Amino acid sequence: MKNYDILFKQITEKIANTDFSGYTIQYPPLFSWEVADSADLTEEILKAWKSLLIKRQPYLGLYIHLPFCKQRCSYCRYFALKLERQSDLGDYLSALKKEIQVYRKIFYKSPIRSLYFGGGTPSLLNIRQLDDLFSYLYKNFNLSQCQQITFEGNPDFLDFKKLKLLKQWGVNRLTIGVQSLDSKVIKAVNRYQSQDSFLKCFQSARKAKIENINIDLMVGLPLQTINSTLQTLKTVIKLQPEMIHVHPFYPTALSEFIRKGWRLSKKDMRRREVMSWLSQELIQKAKYQPIKFDADGKNEAARNIQLSDAIEYNAPFLGIGAGAVSHITNYFRYVNAIDIKKYIANLDKNKLPIFLGCRLSKRDEMIYFITACLRYGQVDKLQFKKMFNQDLNKIFQKEIKFLERKGKIKNTDRYLYSKMENLGEYVIYSKYFYDKNLIEKCKKMFPKFKNKLKEEEIIYLEI
Ligand code: SF4
């Protein structure tokens, strides 16, 4: 491996170890964002949203983060906290309402296209809390034309009554975190749900007539065998959910797994690959198709439109809650405080609880588009042209040529196809599109490379 490949690998590791913002790709990466002074930013951010929303934003998204979980799974790399006291949840929900109030005056007329409840475990909220939160959101945002409301949940906290309530409030996409149905694996990763509770939850969701159900599974977890992986998958396929998402387990510094000093051996990684292939084979045999910008599904309606809009249309989205990320198109990405006390304290003073932020250039938005599209297999050059009014081949000529030479992409008239074999390759090679200044910054950040890399060894100078 050449020096610059190692550098890109290090950048990847740095991102994995600092990115607590869920499965969506952030560009520029979170570790390069500046610490924001919320006192100074409130006015500026509200002004920026206001000028963006003067024009109708057809793909506007609203994300609500509910960070609490019953306990923390050992593989978790998200911003999630163990719920110690019920009163913590009550205090948090009061702060959420305050944050909603700060944005209300700017957003209340703008139609929201997608609403997403992520976590943590949003289903930890009881019926009264959910009813109250939904009614507050409907009162303060324009959800009259909302096309998709997604709700993430754990089977143990989703009974028929709750699911019926969600349906009444317009939830039409439910995503159930299962990971595995093997009780040994469940115990090993500090989860708790049983096969029975999952089956009951699934049937209740069907009975409540929630249109789209996505099941999240994982491969490569501790104690997971190929046999138990396929057994879980077969049980899930039998239920015919609209979408199945199989996530390979990539431990990062944010997970208990790494904190406790455990590591994946080469054998574990190979097993994870085999589990991924076999799962993919089984899913495709069951007539699930890859859905654009998402996992394998039965139909297009099953996909998470908040994510696909963010990629395909560079859509703006507002994140409410501790640790939630927002995107003001062509201007700013920012993330709220992850310290709940700070989050609440800022809102008590009517300040936006912004923790980190990053100003965006047009080129940043282009790189986000390319790298996010590559993650799902291809970049549509026509769409790029529509979005940015630029020719992708011209702007990224060097990067495209270089990756073509490496055999990692195929360049056709209309598309740039990824030829990266797995997620591991993607996370490294997609970074060749990153901005030169960011790469220089990274080079300085990593002691291993400090004063050791000659300029000509950096990819952007070589290609
Ligand atoms: S349920 Fe999800 S968010 Fe909560 S700890 Fe487990 S993986 Fe993390």
Side-chain angles (χ1 to χ4, degrees):
M1 209 181 221
K2 289 198 181 150
N3 266 349
Y4 45 77
D5 280 345
I6 299 170
L7 174 65
F8 282 90
K9 191 166 176 286
Q10 285 211 347
I11 298 171
T12 296
E13 277 160 12
K14 183 82 183 164
I15 292 169
N17 292 339
T18 51
D19 183 2
F20 50 82
S21 60
Y23 58 81
T24 52
I25 296 156
Q26 300 298 340
Y27 185 82
L30 209 58
F31 74 83
S32 67
W33 295 13
E34 305 288 336
V35 175
D37 178 351
S38 54
D40 291 334
L41 284 182
T42 303
E43 219 175 291
E44 184 191 335
I45 292 296
L46 293 179
K47 218 169 124 192
W49 273 117
K50 200 171 171 183
S51 56
L52 188 84
L53 296 177
I54 284 174
K55 261 177 98 184
R56 187 179 147 76
Q57 298 294 329
Y59 302 104
L60 183 61
L62 175 62
Y63 174 86
I64 308 291
H65 194 71
L66 296 152
F68 297 106
C69 294
K70 183 182 164 197
Q71 56 205 47
R72 198 170 157 85
C73 312
S74 63
Y75 57 81
C76 182
R77 54 169 283 245
Y78 305 122
F79 170 49
L81 303 165
K82 182 176 176 201
L83 182 63
E84 302 287 355
R85 288 173 300 268
Q86 275 304 320
S87 61
D88 291 347
L89 188 50
D91 294 345
Y92 181 76
L93 290 171
S94 304
L96 267 188
K97 286 185 177 176
K98 285 184 187 155
E99 195 182 0
I100 291 168
Q101 274 312 310
V102 180
Y103 286 111
R104 182 197 175 275
K105 50 187 177 291
I106 289 162
F107 275 79
Y108 79 100
K109 278 191 183 155
S110 304
I112 303 281
R113 174 166 135 98
S114 63
L115 170 60
Y116 194 107
F117 293 84
T121 307
S123 56
L124 269 189
L125 270 64
N126 63 32
I127 295 232
R128 187 187 49 74
Q129 289 164 327
L130 278 173
D131 205 28
D132 188 47
L133 179 58
F134 269 103
S135 103
Y136 202 77
L137 286 166
Y138 271 86
K139 234 181 259 164
N140 291 292
F141 287 100
N142 180 352
L143 291 163
S144 60
Q145 294 163 44
C146 191
Q147 290 190 19
Q148 187 178 73
I149 303 182
T150 298
F151 193 90
E152 287 181 355
N154 180 295
D156 278 14
F157 298 101
L158 282 169
D159 59 13
F160 178 64
K161 243 172 129 184
K162 212 181 261 186
L163 288 159
K164 213 171 98 191
L165 180 83
L166 294 177
K167 169 74 184 173
Q168 277 162 7
W169 279 115
V171 171
N172 52 7
R173 186 170 180 272
L174 180 71
T175 167
I176 308 177
V178 175
Q179 323 315 346
S180 168
L181 291 173
D182 180 338
S183 56
K184 278 198 221 98
V185 177
I186 290 294
K187 207 166 161 213
V189 296
N190 200 34
R191 280 181 73 86
Y192 44 88
Q193 99 272 344
S194 66
Q195 174 152 334
D196 281 354
S197 69
F198 163 61
L199 293 176
K200 210 166 152 200
C201 165
F202 190 90
Q203 277 144 12
S204 301
R206 283 286 187 237
K207 201 170 140 201
K209 298 198 167 30
I210 294 183
E211 290 92 331
N212 292 293
I213 304 179
N214 165 58
I215 304 295
D216 277 335
L217 299 175
M218 288 184 81
V219 291
L221 290 170
L223 301 191
Q224 199 174 21
T225 62
I226 292 179
N227 225 354
S228 86
T229 304
L230 298 181
Q231 205 44 54
T232 294
L233 189 53
K234 280 178 192 162
T235 307
V236 168
I237 287 174
K238 235 190 224 162
L239 298 170
Q240 292 286 292
E242 281 65 32
M243 181 168 269
I244 304 175
H245 217 127
V246 179
H247 305 267
F249 170 45
Y250 281 95
T252 73
L254 295 171
S255 62
E256 275 302 297
F257 183 88
I258 294 290
R259 283 187 196 167
K260 284 191 171 148
W262 299 329
R263 295 291 179 270
L264 289 184
S265 66
K266 285 219 165 103
K267 201 172 149 203
D268 293 332
M269 292 184 210
R270 262 200 311 277
R271 211 162 35 100
R272 181 183 62 195
E273 285 284 286
V274 175
M275 287 173 180
S276 288
W277 296 330
L278 294 175
S279 301
Q280 210 49 43
E281 218 175 71
L282 210 59
I283 287 173
Q284 270 157 21
K285 251 194 213 153
K287 306 248 179 312
Y288 283 81
Q289 302 287 336
I291 302 288
K292 198 173 173 192
F293 301 124
D294 215 320
D296 296 291
K298 291 269 175 201
N299 56 60
E300 286 283 318
R303 78 172 161 172
N304 169 4
I305 64 168
Q306 191 159 106
L307 175 63
S308 59
D309 288 349
I311 299 171
E312 197 169 12
Y313 305 111
N314 198 19
F317 50 86
L318 173 66
I320 301 267
V325 178
S326 299
H327 173 229
I328 310 177
T329 306
N330 292 327
Y331 184 70
F332 208 57
R333 272 183 203 273
Y334 59 95
V335 59
N336 278 349
I338 51 168
D339 176 330
I340 301 270
K341 279 192 189 141
K342 270 194 193 159
Y343 172 75
I344 294 177
N346 271 300
L347 287 160
D348 281 344
K349 290 182 222 145
N350 281 324
K351 284 178 196 160
L352 286 179
I354 299 169
F355 162 44
L356 297 170
C358 177
R359 284 176 211 288
L360 301 171
S361 64
K362 192 172 173 187
R363 195 175 171 94
D364 288 333
E365 299 285 31
M366 289 178 187
I367 296 170
Y368 174 80
F369 176 82
I370 296 169
T371 51
C373 289
L374 275 179
R375 162 85 179 79
Y376 295 97
Q378 65 195 49
V379 187
D380 184 344
K381 293 186 201 171
L382 203 63
Q383 180 66 9
F384 183 90
K385 176 96 185 158
K386 264 194 222 159
M387 303 260 304
F388 304 107
N389 201 21
Q390 303 265 13
D391 182 343
L392 192 147
N393 279 333
K394 275 192 194 147
I395 306 258
F396 293 96
Q397 190 186 26
K398 286 180 179 176
E399 290 80 356
I400 291 172
K401 277 205 175 129
F402 179 80
L403 286 173
E404 260 189 307
R405 274 208 311 273
K406 279 210 155 214
K408 300 300 171 195
I409 54 173
K410 185 177 162 199
N411 192 9
T412 67
D413 285 349
R414 171 82 188 263
Y415 294 102
L416 211 58
Y417 290 104
S418 166
K419 289 177 76 185
M420 301 165 209
E421 277 179 16
N422 50 37
L423 195 59
E425 278 206 0
Y426 161 77
V427 289
I428 293 177
Y429 289 110
S430 60
K431 285 166 191 59
Y432 284 74
F433 283 99
Y434 280 23
D435 187 76
K436 181 176 179 293
N437 292 330
L438 179 69
I439 302 297
E440 288 297 317
K441 194 172 160 188
C442 293
K443 195 182 130 193
K444 285 189 194 115
M445 283 171 73
F446 303 129
K448 188 172 174 189
F449 286 95
K450 216 174 176 184
N451 307 323
K452 282 193 185 160
L453 265 192
K454 288 181 200 146
E455 285 302 295
E456 64 270 21
E457 286 175 317
I458 295 290
I459 185 67
Y460 287 90
L461 299 175
E462 188 185 277
I463 54 181

